[in-house]
């Protein structure tokens, strides 16, 4: 039995926490849980609308249809939004999408500071690329459907002038004609064309001549040849990373074209038609190139001694067998 003089403190509940503490807690919730939290009470609803909670929106874990996207845009998308990730319906039987021209127009208006846009598995053929936010620095279209000239309206209006990283990994219909439309991106430093099997010498030549500031290039699974590597070696003097995995048409001769790239640090040659001697020659004739990582195929019969020999040719080099 408690003493009569004892003072009992009121029970501490979540509602006892200060607004700033609750906002910190809410910041760990995903989009779906934030929307549910907003329905608990008026106070929580007000706190969930704090702009700081909506700087980065990731909807890729959920397939959110156009109607729901509209609701989110109108309720939570503000000038504080920096990154947006969307998941489309190209692998679904639903006749809907995650974005439309009207939604993109609204996003452009409400979110003028959007820096990163990631869209996966969406049909974008009817989307007008000129409606993309002009502040974008990173644009990723992963396994999306686009038309061959999809980027032309955006390039013509200069809305992609700030883009530094562009990834079209696995995006259907990306071709040489597409690359020729991308030659007017003055700040582009990283380009990912992995899985774009329609890419060939014509497109590579075009971007090499116009985009001299490229530092990272990903060609995994592209149909490029030795001539493409010649264009890369002579034009992309700032190149640091090049991924040539599954590029079966390149040979020892093409690899030699990269020997003049003094800033090159990472090279991926997994599943390429390049022999051991070709790799040795490449490392031997590049005294000024400070390679840090070289990835090769396990099935190319490299032994532990082979790896040690290759690493001895270039101090600081790490050879990985994949």
């Amino acid at each position: 039995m408690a003493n009569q003089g004892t003072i009992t403190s009121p029970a501490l509940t979540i509602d006892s926490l200060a607004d700033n503490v609750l906002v910190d807690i809410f910041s760990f919730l995903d989009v779906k849980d934030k929307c549910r939290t907003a329905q608990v009470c008026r106070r929580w609803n007000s706190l969930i609308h704090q702009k700081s909670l909506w700087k980065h929106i990731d909807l890729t874990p959920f397939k959110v249809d156009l109607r729901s996207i509209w609701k989110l845009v109108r309720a939570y998308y503000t000038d504080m939004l920096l990154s947006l990730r969307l998941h489309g319906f190209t692998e679904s039987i639903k006749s809907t999408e995650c974005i439309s021209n009207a939604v993109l127009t609204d996003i452009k208006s409400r979110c003028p500071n959007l820096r990163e846009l990631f869209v996966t598995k969406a049909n974008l053929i009817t989307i007008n690329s000129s409606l993309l936010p002009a502040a974008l620095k990173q644009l990723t279209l992963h396994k999306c459907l686009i038309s061959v000239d999809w980027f032309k309206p955006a390039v013509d209006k200069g809305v992609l002038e700030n883009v530094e990283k562009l990834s079209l990994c696995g995006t259907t219909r990306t071709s040489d004609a597409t690359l020729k439309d991308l030659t007017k991106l003055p700040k582009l430093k990283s380009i990912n064309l992995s899985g774009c099997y329609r890419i060939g010498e014509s497109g590579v030549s075009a971007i090499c001549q116009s985009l001299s500031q490229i530092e990272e290039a990903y060609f995994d699974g592209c149909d490029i040849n030795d001539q493409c590597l010649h264009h890369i070696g002579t034009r992309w003097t700032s190149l640091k990373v090049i991924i040539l995995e599954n590029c079966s048409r390149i040979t020892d001769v093409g690899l030699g074209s990269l020997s003049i790239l003094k800033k090159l640090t990472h090279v991926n040659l997994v599943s390429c038609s390049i022999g051991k001697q070709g790799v040795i020659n490449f490392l031997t004739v590049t005294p000024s190139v400070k390679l840090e990582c070289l990835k090769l195929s396990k099935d190319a019969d490299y032994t532990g001694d082979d790896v040690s020999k290759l690493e001895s040719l270039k101090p600081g080099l790490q050879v990985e067998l994949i």
Side-chain angles (χ1 to χ4, degrees), residues 167-311:
S167 176
L168 302 176
C169 181
T171 291
T172 304
R173 298 183 186 176
T174 302
S175 65
D176 289 343
T178 307
L179 295 191
K180 290 174 183 178
D181 284 334
L182 298 176
T183 56
K184 299 178 181 179
L185 303 186
K187 296 182 180 180
L188 193 65
K189 295 181 180 180
S190 175
I191 186 166
N192 188 337
L193 300 170
S194 298
C196 299
Y197 57 87
R198 289 186 172 91
I199 298 299
E201 182 184 343
S202 175
V204 173
S205 174
I207 59 175
C208 282
Q209 292 181 34
S210 304
L211 306 176
S212 59
Q213 68 282 2
I214 294 292
E215 296 178 359
E216 299 177 355
Y218 301 80
F219 293 104
D220 185 355
C222 292
D223 189 32
I224 63 173
N225 55 23
D226 290 344
Q227 192 60 34
C228 293
L229 295 191
H230 171 72
H231 294 308
I232 291 171
T234 55
R235 297 284 183 172
W236 284 354
T237 55
S238 297
L239 194 66
K240 299 177 181 178
V241 177
I242 185 165
I243 307 301
L244 299 170
E245 188 169 346
N246 295 308
C247 294
S248 58
R249 294 181 62 193
I250 62 174
T251 67
D252 300 2
V253 175
L255 181 60
S257 299
L258 304 181
S259 61
I260 59 175
L261 298 176
K262 296 182 179 181
K263 296 183 179 181
L264 200 61
T265 59
H266 290 69
V267 178
N268 186 328
L269 300 174
V270 175
S271 299
C272 293
S273 301
I274 296 175
K276 293 181 183 179
Q277 191 58 47
V279 175
I280 292 174
N281 293 340
F282 170 65
L283 295 176
T284 303
V285 300
T286 55
S288 60
V289 177
K290 298 181 179 179
L291 276 182
E292 297 174 5
C293 180
L294 175 63
K295 295 184 179 181
L296 303 169
S297 296
K298 277 184 179 180
D299 54 10
D301 296 327
Y302 284 98
T303 65
D305 289 339
D306 291 330
V307 170
S308 297
K309 180 179 180 181
L310 294 177
E311 291 179 338

Side-chain angles (χ1 to χ4, degrees), residues 1-267:
M1 185 173 180
N3 295 328
Q4 292 183 352
T6 301
I7 299 176
T8 304
S9 300
L12 184 65
T13 68
I14 192 169
D15 284 328
S16 305
L17 299 176
D19 286 353
N20 64 310
V21 176
L22 283 174
V23 170
D24 285 342
I25 294 173
F26 294 160
S27 68
F28 291 96
L29 302 177
D30 61 31
V31 174
K32 196 171 184 179
D33 287 335
K34 284 178 185 175
C35 292
R36 288 172 174 168
T37 301
Q39 299 173 19
V40 172
C41 63
R42 289 183 180 180
R43 182 191 178 203
W44 286 22
N45 181 280
S46 176
L47 293 177
I48 282 293
H49 278 80
Q50 293 279 340
K51 289 184 178 181
S52 61
L53 292 175
W54 300 93
K55 288 183 178 181
H56 306 282
I57 299 178
D58 185 2
L59 297 174
T60 53
F62 327 101
K63 291 185 178 180
V64 184
D65 60 25
L66 207 51
R67 183 178 179 183
S68 299
I69 289 289
W70 265 115
K71 292 180 179 179
L72 285 170
V73 169
R74 291 169 178 170
Y76 303 113
Y77 289 24
T78 70
D79 56 353
M80 289 284 283
L81 182 63
L82 299 178
S83 67
L84 175 62
R85 298 172 66 88
L86 302 171
H87 195 303
F89 292 83
T90 56
E91 296 181 349
S92 172
I93 60 175
K94 290 185 178 181
S95 57
T96 185
E97 260 310 331
C98 64
I99 198 165
S100 67
N101 286 322
V103 169
L104 194 56
T105 299
D106 209 3
I107 291 175
K108 185 174 184 177
S109 175
R110 292 171 180 267
C111 314
N113 299 310
L114 186 64
R115 297 291 188 267
E116 178 184 347
L117 178 62
F118 175 98
V119 185
T120 184
K121 299 178 182 178
N123 186 341
L124 304 178
I125 292 178
T126 61
I127 299 299
N128 184 348
S129 64
S130 69
L131 299 176
L132 290 168
L136 281 181
K137 289 189 175 183
Q138 184 170 338
L139 175 61
T140 300
L141 306 181
H142 176 256
K143 294 185 178 179
C144 290
L145 301 178
I146 63 172
S147 58
V148 172
D149 59 350
W150 191 82
F151 284 97
K152 193 174 189 306
V155 173
D156 289 345
K157 289 194 174 183
V159 300
L160 298 180
E161 289 184 350
N162 292 310
V163 172
E164 297 177 358
K165 292 185 177 183
L166 176 65
S167 176
L168 302 176
C169 181
T171 291
T172 304
R173 298 183 186 176
T174 302
S175 65
D176 289 343
T178 307
L179 295 191
K180 290 174 183 178
D181 284 334
L182 298 176
T183 56
K184 299 178 181 179
L185 303 186
K187 296 182 180 180
L188 193 65
K189 295 181 180 180
S190 175
I191 186 166
N192 188 337
L193 300 170
S194 298
C196 299
Y197 57 87
R198 289 186 172 91
I199 298 299
E201 182 184 343
S202 175
V204 173
S205 174
I207 59 175
C208 282
Q209 292 181 34
S210 304
L211 306 176
S212 59
Q213 68 282 2
I214 294 292
E215 296 178 359
E216 299 177 355
Y218 301 80
F219 293 104
D220 185 355
C222 292
D223 189 32
I224 63 173
N225 55 23
D226 290 344
Q227 192 60 34
C228 293
L229 295 191
H230 171 72
H231 294 308
I232 291 171
T234 55
R235 297 284 183 172
W236 284 354
T237 55
S238 297
L239 194 66
K240 299 177 181 178
V241 177
I242 185 165
I243 307 301
L244 299 170
E245 188 169 346
N246 295 308
C247 294
S248 58
R249 294 181 62 193
I250 62 174
T251 67
D252 300 2
V253 175
L255 181 60
S257 299
L258 304 181
S259 61
I260 59 175
L261 298 176
K262 296 182 179 181
K263 296 183 179 181
L264 200 61
T265 59
H266 290 69
V267 178

